[in-house]
Amino acid sequence: MTTAFVLSGGASLGAVQVGMLLALAEDVGPDLIVGTSVGALNAAWIAERLDRDGIASLAELWRSLTRADVLPGLLELHRHAST
């Protein structure tokens, strides 16, 4: 049987996926990793290194991001809309 990790898109779901990957990687090794949008970015990262250290480095990347990193211009748009 083929085991696949299918990672969806959805902005902040990318960070949530890291927790799932950490839990699954302990016991389940995928034969295939696919994703869309942010899930594709996570899939590409872990396809290179699907071990606890590789996933931990992805988690660190997610922890280092700010809202402005992910959605540049959003704060300015919000300020403009509230005036």
Coordinates of all heavy atoms in Angstrom, one line a residue:
M1 N 0.8 -1.2 0.0 CA 0.0 0.0 0.0 C 0.9 1.2 0.0 O 1.9 1.3 0.7 CB -0.9 0.0 1.2 CG -1.7 1.3 1.3 SD -3.1 1.4 2.5 CE -2.6 0.5 3.9
T2 N 0.5 2.3 -0.8 CA 1.2 3.5 -0.9 C 0.7 4.5 0.2 O -0.5 4.6 0.4 CB 1.0 4.2 -2.2 OG1 1.5 3.2 -3.2 CG2 1.8 5.5 -2.3
T3 N 1.6 5.1 0.9 CA 1.3 6.1 1.9 C 1.6 7.5 1.4 O 2.8 7.7 1.0 CB 2.0 5.8 3.2 OG1 1.7 4.5 3.7 CG2 1.6 6.9 4.3
A4 N 0.7 8.4 1.4 CA 0.9 9.8 0.9 C 0.6 10.8 2.0 O -0.4 10.6 2.8 CB 0.1 10.0 -0.3
F5 N 1.4 11.8 2.1 CA 1.0 13.0 2.9 C 0.5 14.0 1.9 O 1.2 14.4 0.9 CB 2.3 13.6 3.6 CG 2.8 12.8 4.8 CD1 3.9 13.2 5.4 CD2 2.2 11.6 5.2 CE1 4.4 12.5 6.5 CE2 2.7 10.9 6.3 CZ 3.8 11.4 6.9
V6 N -0.7 14.5 2.1 CA -1.4 15.4 1.2 C -1.6 16.7 2.0 O -2.3 16.7 3.0 CB -2.7 14.9 0.7 CG1 -3.3 15.9 -0.3 CG2 -2.5 13.6 -0.1
L7 N -0.9 17.8 1.7 CA -0.9 19.0 2.4 C -1.7 20.1 1.7 O -1.3 20.4 0.5 CB 0.6 19.5 2.7 CG 1.5 18.4 3.3 CD1 2.9 19.0 3.4 CD2 1.0 17.9 4.6
S8 N -2.7 20.6 2.3 CA -3.5 21.6 1.7 C -2.9 23.0 1.7 O -2.0 23.2 2.4 CB -4.9 21.6 2.4 OG -4.7 22.1 3.7
G9 N -3.6 23.9 1.0 CA -3.2 25.3 1.1 C -4.0 26.0 2.2 O -4.9 25.3 2.8
G10 N -3.7 27.2 2.4 CA -4.5 27.9 3.4 C -3.7 28.7 4.4 O -3.9 28.7 5.6
A11 N -2.7 29.4 3.9 CA -1.9 30.4 4.7 C -1.4 29.8 6.0 O -0.5 28.9 6.0 CB -2.6 31.7 4.9
S12 N -2.1 30.1 7.1 CA -1.6 29.7 8.4 C -1.7 28.2 8.6 O -1.1 27.6 9.6 CB -2.3 30.4 9.6 OG -3.7 30.1 9.5
L13 N -2.4 27.5 7.8 CA -2.5 26.0 7.9 C -1.1 25.4 7.7 O -0.8 24.3 8.1 CB -3.5 25.4 6.9 CG -4.9 25.6 7.2 CD1 -5.8 25.0 6.1 CD2 -5.3 25.0 8.6
G14 N -0.2 26.1 7.0 CA 1.1 25.7 6.8 C 1.8 25.4 8.1 O 2.6 24.5 8.3
A15 N 1.6 26.3 9.1 CA 2.2 26.2 10.4 C 1.6 25.0 11.1 O 2.3 24.2 11.8 CB 2.1 27.4 11.2
V16 N 0.3 24.8 11.0 CA -0.4 23.7 11.6 C 0.1 22.3 11.1 O 0.3 21.4 11.8 CB -1.9 23.8 11.4 CG1 -2.6 22.6 11.9 CG2 -2.4 25.1 12.1
Q17 N 0.4 22.3 9.8 CA 0.9 21.1 9.1 C 2.2 20.6 9.7 O 2.5 19.4 9.8 CB 1.1 21.3 7.6 CG -0.2 21.5 6.9 CD 0.0 22.0 5.5 OE1 1.1 22.2 5.0 NE2 -1.1 22.2 4.7
V18 N 3.0 21.5 10.2 CA 4.3 21.1 10.8 C 4.1 20.3 12.0 O 4.8 19.3 12.2 CB 5.2 22.4 11.1 CG1 6.5 22.0 11.8 CG2 5.5 23.2 9.9
G19 N 3.1 20.6 12.9 CA 2.8 19.8 14.0 C 2.4 18.4 13.6 O 2.8 17.4 14.2
M20 N 1.5 18.3 12.6 CA 1.1 17.0 12.1 C 2.3 16.2 11.6 O 2.4 15.0 11.8 CB 0.0 17.3 11.0 CG -0.5 16.0 10.4 SD 0.4 15.4 8.9 CE 0.5 16.8 7.8
L21 N 3.1 16.9 10.8 CA 4.3 16.2 10.3 C 5.2 15.7 11.3 O 5.7 14.5 11.2 CB 5.1 17.2 9.3 CG 4.3 17.5 8.0 CD1 5.0 18.7 7.3 CD2 4.3 16.3 7.1
L22 N 5.4 16.4 12.4 CA 6.2 16.0 13.5 C 5.7 14.7 14.1 O 6.4 13.8 14.4 CB 6.4 17.1 14.5 CG 7.4 18.1 14.2 CD1 7.3 19.3 15.2 CD2 8.8 17.6 14.2
A23 N 4.3 14.7 14.3 CA 3.7 13.5 14.9 C 3.7 12.3 14.0 O 4.0 11.2 14.4 CB 2.2 13.9 15.3
L24 N 3.4 12.5 12.7 CA 3.4 11.4 11.8 C 4.8 10.8 11.5 O 4.9 9.6 11.3 CB 2.7 11.8 10.5 CG 1.2 12.0 10.5 CD1 0.7 12.5 9.2 CD2 0.6 10.6 10.9
A25 N 5.8 11.7 11.4 CA 7.1 11.2 11.0 C 7.7 10.3 12.0 O 8.6 9.5 11.6 CB 8.0 12.4 10.8
E26 N 7.2 10.3 13.2 CA 7.7 9.3 14.2 C 7.4 7.9 13.8 O 8.2 7.0 14.0 CB 7.1 9.6 15.5 CG 7.5 10.9 16.1 CD 8.9 11.0 16.5 OE1 9.4 10.0 17.1 OE2 9.6 12.0 16.2
D27 N 6.2 7.7 13.2 CA 5.7 6.3 12.9 C 5.4 6.0 11.5 O 5.3 4.8 11.1 CB 4.4 6.0 13.8 CG 4.7 6.2 15.3 OD1 5.7 5.7 15.7 OD2 3.9 6.8 15.9
V28 N 5.2 7.0 10.7 CA 4.7 6.8 9.3 C 5.7 7.5 8.4 O 5.9 8.7 8.5 CB 3.3 7.4 9.1 CG1 2.8 7.2 7.7 CG2 2.3 6.8 10.1
G29 N 6.2 6.8 7.4 CA 7.0 7.3 6.4 C 6.3 7.3 5.1 O 5.8 6.3 4.6
P30 N 6.1 8.5 4.5 CA 5.3 8.5 3.2 C 6.1 8.1 2.0 O 7.3 8.2 2.0 CB 5.0 10.0 3.1 CG 6.1 10.7 3.7 CD 6.5 9.8 4.9
D31 N 5.4 7.5 1.1 CA 6.0 7.1 -0.2 C 5.9 8.3 -1.2 O 6.6 8.4 -2.1 CB 5.2 5.9 -0.8 CG 5.3 4.7 0.1 OD1 6.4 4.3 0.4 OD2 4.2 4.2 0.5
L32 N 4.9 9.2 -0.9 CA 4.6 10.3 -1.7 C 4.2 11.5 -0.9 O 3.5 11.4 0.1 CB 3.5 9.9 -2.6 CG 2.9 10.9 -3.6 CD1 3.9 11.2 -4.7 CD2 1.6 10.3 -4.3
I33 N 4.7 12.7 -1.3 CA 4.3 13.9 -0.6 C 3.8 14.9 -1.6 O 4.6 15.2 -2.6 CB 5.5 14.6 0.2 CG1 6.1 13.6 1.2 CG2 5.1 15.8 0.9 CD1 7.5 14.0 1.7
V34 N 2.6 15.4 -1.5 CA 2.0 16.4 -2.4 C 1.4 17.5 -1.6 O 1.0 17.3 -0.4 CB 1.0 15.7 -3.3 CG1 1.6 14.7 -4.2 CG2 -0.2 15.1 -2.6
G35 N 1.3 18.6 -2.3 CA 0.6 19.8 -1.6 C 0.2 20.8 -2.6 O 0.6 20.8 -3.8
T36 N -0.6 21.7 -2.1 CA -1.0 22.9 -2.9 C -0.8 24.1 -2.1 O -0.9 24.1 -0.9 CB -2.5 22.7 -3.4 OG1 -2.8 23.8 -4.2 CG2 -3.4 22.7 -2.2
S37 N -0.4 25.2 -2.8 CA -0.1 26.5 -2.2 C 0.9 26.3 -1.1 O 2.0 25.8 -1.3 CB -1.4 27.1 -1.7 OG -1.2 28.4 -1.4
V38 N 0.5 26.7 0.2 CA 1.5 26.6 1.3 C 1.8 25.2 1.6 O 3.0 24.9 2.0 CB 1.0 27.4 2.5 CG1 -0.1 26.6 3.2 CG2 2.1 27.7 3.5
G39 N 0.9 24.3 1.3 CA 1.2 22.9 1.5 C 2.3 22.4 0.5 O 3.1 21.5 0.9
A40 N 2.3 22.9 -0.7 CA 3.4 22.6 -1.6 C 4.7 23.1 -1.2 O 5.7 22.4 -1.4 CB 3.0 23.2 -3.0
L41 N 4.8 24.2 -0.5 CA 6.0 24.7 0.0 C 6.5 23.8 1.1 O 7.7 23.5 1.2 CB 5.8 26.2 0.5 CG 5.5 27.2 -0.5 CD1 5.2 28.5 0.1 CD2 6.6 27.4 -1.5
N42 N 5.6 23.4 2.0 CA 6.0 22.5 3.1 C 6.4 21.2 2.5 O 7.4 20.6 3.0 CB 4.9 22.3 4.1 CG 4.7 23.5 5.0 OD1 5.6 24.3 5.2 ND2 3.6 23.6 5.7
A43 N 5.7 20.7 1.5 CA 6.0 19.4 0.9 C 7.4 19.4 0.3 O 8.2 18.5 0.4 CB 5.0 19.0 -0.1
A44 N 7.7 20.5 -0.4 CA 9.0 20.6 -1.0 C 10.1 20.6 0.0 O 11.2 20.0 -0.2 CB 9.1 21.9 -1.9
W45 N 9.9 21.3 1.1 CA 10.9 21.4 2.2 C 11.2 20.0 2.8 O 12.3 19.6 2.9 CB 10.4 22.4 3.3 CG 11.4 22.6 4.4 CD1 11.7 21.7 5.4 CD2 12.2 23.8 4.6 NE1 12.6 22.3 6.2 CE2 12.9 23.5 5.8 CE3 12.3 25.0 3.9 CZ2 13.8 24.5 6.3 CZ3 13.2 25.9 4.4 CH2 13.9 25.7 5.6
I46 N 10.1 19.3 3.1 CA 10.3 18.0 3.8 C 10.7 16.9 2.8 O 11.2 15.9 3.3 CB 9.1 17.7 4.7 CG1 7.9 17.4 3.9 CG2 8.9 18.7 5.8 CD1 6.8 16.7 4.6
A47 N 10.4 17.1 1.5 CA 10.8 16.0 0.6 C 12.3 15.9 0.6 O 12.8 14.8 0.3 CB 10.3 16.4 -0.8
E48 N 13.0 17.0 0.8 CA 14.4 17.0 0.9 C 15.0 16.3 2.1 O 16.0 15.6 2.1 CB 15.0 18.4 0.8 CG 16.4 18.6 1.0 CD 17.2 18.0 -0.2 OE1 16.7 18.0 -1.3 OE2 18.4 17.7 0.0
R49 N 14.2 16.4 3.2 CA 14.7 15.9 4.5 C 13.6 15.5 5.4 O 13.2 16.3 6.3 CB 15.6 16.9 5.1 CG 16.4 16.4 6.3 CD 17.5 17.3 6.6 NE 18.0 16.8 7.9 CZ 18.6 17.7 8.8 NH1 18.7 18.9 8.5 NH2 19.1 17.2 9.9
L50 N 13.0 14.4 5.2 CA 11.8 13.9 6.0 C 12.3 13.1 7.2 O 12.3 11.9 7.3 CB 10.9 13.1 5.2 CG 9.6 12.6 5.9 CD1 8.8 13.8 6.3 CD2 8.8 11.7 5.0
D51 N 12.9 13.9 8.1 CA 13.3 13.3 9.4 C 13.0 14.4 10.5 O 12.6 15.5 10.2 CB 14.8 12.9 9.4 CG 15.7 14.0 9.2 OD1 15.3 15.2 9.2 OD2 16.9 13.8 8.9
R52 N 13.1 14.0 11.7 CA 12.8 14.9 12.8 C 13.5 16.3 12.7 O 12.9 17.3 12.9 CB 13.0 14.3 14.1 CG 12.4 15.1 15.3 CD 12.1 14.1 16.4 NE 11.4 14.9 17.5 CZ 10.1 15.2 17.5 NH1 9.4 14.8 16.5 NH2 9.6 15.8 18.5
D53 N 14.8 16.2 12.4 CA 15.6 17.4 12.3 C 15.1 18.3 11.1 O 15.1 19.5 11.2 CB 17.1 17.1 12.1 CG 17.7 16.6 13.4 OD1 17.1 16.8 14.5 OD2 18.7 15.9 13.3
G54 N 14.8 17.7 10.0 CA 14.3 18.5 8.8 C 13.0 19.1 9.1 O 12.8 20.3 8.8
I55 N 12.1 18.4 9.8 CA 10.8 19.0 10.1 C 11.0 20.0 11.2 O 10.3 21.1 11.2 CB 9.8 17.9 10.5 CG1 9.6 16.9 9.4 CG2 8.5 18.5 11.0 CD1 8.8 15.7 9.7
A56 N 11.9 19.8 12.1 CA 12.1 20.8 13.2 C 12.7 22.1 12.5 O 12.3 23.2 13.0 CB 13.1 20.3 14.2
S57 N 13.5 22.0 11.5 CA 14.0 23.2 10.8 C 12.8 23.9 10.1 O 12.8 25.2 10.1 CB 15.1 22.9 9.9 OG 14.7 22.1 8.8
L58 N 11.9 23.2 9.6 CA 10.7 23.8 9.0 C 9.9 24.5 10.1 O 9.4 25.6 9.9 CB 9.9 22.8 8.2 CG 8.6 23.3 7.6 CD1 8.9 24.4 6.6 CD2 7.8 22.1 6.9
A59 N 9.7 23.9 11.2 CA 9.0 24.5 12.3 C 9.7 25.8 12.7 O 9.0 26.8 13.0 CB 8.9 23.5 13.5
E60 N 11.0 25.8 12.8 CA 11.7 27.0 13.2 C 11.5 28.1 12.1 O 11.3 29.3 12.5 CB 13.2 26.7 13.3 CG 14.0 27.9 13.8 CD 13.5 28.5 15.1 OE1 13.1 27.7 16.0 OE2 13.6 29.7 15.3
L61 N 11.5 27.8 10.9 CA 11.2 28.8 9.8 C 9.8 29.4 10.1 O 9.6 30.6 10.1 CB 11.2 28.1 8.5 CG 10.7 29.0 7.3 CD1 11.7 30.2 7.1 CD2 10.6 28.2 6.0
W62 N 8.8 28.6 10.3 CA 7.4 29.1 10.6 C 7.4 29.9 11.8 O 6.7 31.0 11.9 CB 6.4 27.9 10.7 CG 5.9 27.5 9.4 CD1 6.3 26.4 8.7 CD2 4.9 28.2 8.6 NE1 5.6 26.3 7.5 CE2 4.8 27.4 7.4 CE3 4.2 29.3 8.8 CZ2 3.9 27.8 6.4 CZ3 3.3 29.7 7.8 CH2 3.2 29.0 6.6
R63 N 8.1 29.6 12.9 CA 8.2 30.4 14.1 C 8.8 31.7 13.9 O 8.5 32.7 14.5 CB 8.9 29.6 15.2 CG 8.1 28.6 15.9 CD 8.8 28.1 17.1 NE 8.5 26.7 17.3 CZ 9.2 25.6 16.9 NH1 10.4 25.8 16.4 NH2 8.8 24.4 17.1
S64 N 9.7 31.8 12.9 CA 10.4 33.1 12.7 C 9.6 34.1 11.8 O 10.0 35.2 11.8 CB 11.8 32.8 12.0 OG 11.6 32.4 10.6
L65 N 8.6 33.6 11.2 CA 7.8 34.5 10.3 C 6.9 35.4 11.1 O 6.4 35.0 12.1 CB 7.0 33.6 9.3 CG 7.7 32.8 8.3 CD1 6.7 31.9 7.5 CD2 8.5 33.7 7.4
T66 N 6.8 36.6 10.5 CA 5.8 37.6 11.1 C 4.7 37.7 10.1 O 4.8 37.3 9.0 CB 6.4 38.9 11.3 OG1 6.8 39.5 10.1 CG2 7.7 38.8 12.2
R67 N 3.6 38.3 10.6 CA 2.5 38.6 9.7 C 2.9 39.4 8.5 O 2.5 39.1 7.3 CB 1.3 39.3 10.4 CG 0.1 39.5 9.6 CD -1.0 40.1 10.4 NE -1.4 39.2 11.5 CZ -2.0 39.5 12.5 NH1 -2.4 40.8 12.7 NH2 -2.4 38.6 13.5
A68 N 3.8 40.3 8.7 CA 4.2 41.2 7.6 C 5.1 40.4 6.6 O 5.1 40.7 5.4 CB 5.1 42.3 8.1
D69 N 5.8 39.3 7.0 CA 6.5 38.5 6.1 C 5.6 37.7 5.2 O 5.9 37.5 4.0 CB 7.4 37.4 6.9 CG 8.5 38.1 7.7 OD1 9.0 39.1 7.3 OD2 8.8 37.5 8.7
V70 N 4.5 37.2 5.8 CA 3.6 36.3 5.0 C 2.6 37.2 4.2 O 2.3 36.8 3.0 CB 2.8 35.4 6.0 CG1 1.8 34.6 5.3 CG2 3.8 34.6 6.8
L71 N 2.2 38.3 4.7 CA 1.2 39.1 4.0 C 1.7 40.6 3.9 O 1.2 41.5 4.5 CB -0.1 39.1 4.7 CG -0.8 37.7 4.8 CD1 -1.9 37.8 5.8 CD2 -1.2 37.2 3.5
P72 N 2.8 40.8 3.1 CA 3.3 42.1 3.0 C 2.3 43.1 2.4 O 1.5 42.8 1.6 CB 4.5 42.0 2.0 CG 4.2 40.7 1.2 CD 3.4 39.8 2.2
G73 N 2.3 44.3 3.0 CA 1.3 45.3 2.6 C 0.0 45.2 3.3 O -0.8 46.1 3.3
L74 N -0.3 44.1 4.0 CA -1.6 44.0 4.7 C -1.7 45.0 5.8 O -2.8 45.6 5.9 CB -1.7 42.6 5.3 CG -3.0 42.3 6.0 CD1 -4.2 42.4 5.1 CD2 -3.0 41.0 6.8
L75 N -0.7 45.3 6.6 CA -0.8 46.3 7.6 C -1.1 47.7 7.1 O -1.9 48.4 7.6 CB 0.5 46.3 8.5 CG 0.7 45.0 9.3 CD1 2.1 45.1 10.0 CD2 -0.4 44.7 10.2
E76 N -0.4 48.0 6.0 CA -0.7 49.3 5.3 C -2.1 49.4 4.8 O -2.8 50.4 4.9 CB 0.3 49.6 4.2 CG 0.3 50.9 3.6 CD 0.5 52.0 4.6 OE1 1.3 51.9 5.5 OE2 -0.2 53.1 4.5
L77 N -2.6 48.3 4.2 CA -3.9 48.3 3.7 C -4.9 48.4 4.9 O -5.9 49.2 4.7 CB -4.2 46.9 3.0 CG -5.6 46.7 2.4 CD1 -5.9 47.8 1.3 CD2 -5.7 45.3 1.8
H78 N -4.7 47.8 6.0 CA -5.5 47.9 7.1 C -5.6 49.3 7.7 O -6.6 49.8 8.0 CB -5.1 46.9 8.2 CG -5.9 47.0 9.5 ND1 -7.2 46.6 9.5 CD2 -5.6 47.4 10.7 CE1 -7.7 46.8 10.7 NE2 -6.7 47.3 11.5
R79 N -4.4 49.9 7.8 CA -4.3 51.3 8.2 C -5.1 52.3 7.3 O -5.8 53.1 7.8 CB -2.8 51.8 8.3 CG -2.1 51.2 9.5 CD -0.7 51.9 9.6 NE 0.1 51.0 10.4 CZ 1.1 50.3 10.0 NH1 1.5 50.4 8.7 NH2 1.8 49.6 10.8
H80 N -5.0 52.1 6.0 CA -5.6 52.9 5.0 C -7.2 52.7 5.1 O -7.9 53.7 5.1 CB -5.2 52.5 3.6 CG -5.8 53.3 2.6 ND1 -5.6 54.7 2.4 CD2 -6.8 53.0 1.6 CE1 -6.4 55.1 1.4 NE2 -7.1 54.1 0.9
A81 N -7.6 51.5 5.3 CA -9.0 51.2 5.4 C -9.7 51.8 6.7 O -10.8 52.1 6.7 CB -9.3 49.7 5.4
S82 N -8.9 51.9 7.8 CA -9.4 52.4 9.0 C -9.4 53.9 9.1 O -9.9 54.4 10.1 CB -8.7 51.7 10.2 OG -7.3 52.2 10.2
T83 N -8.9 54.6 8.1 CA -8.9 56.1 8.2 C -10.0 56.6 7.4 O -10.6 56.1 6.6 CB -7.5 56.6 7.7 OG1 -7.3 56.2 6.3 CG2 -6.4 56.2 8.6

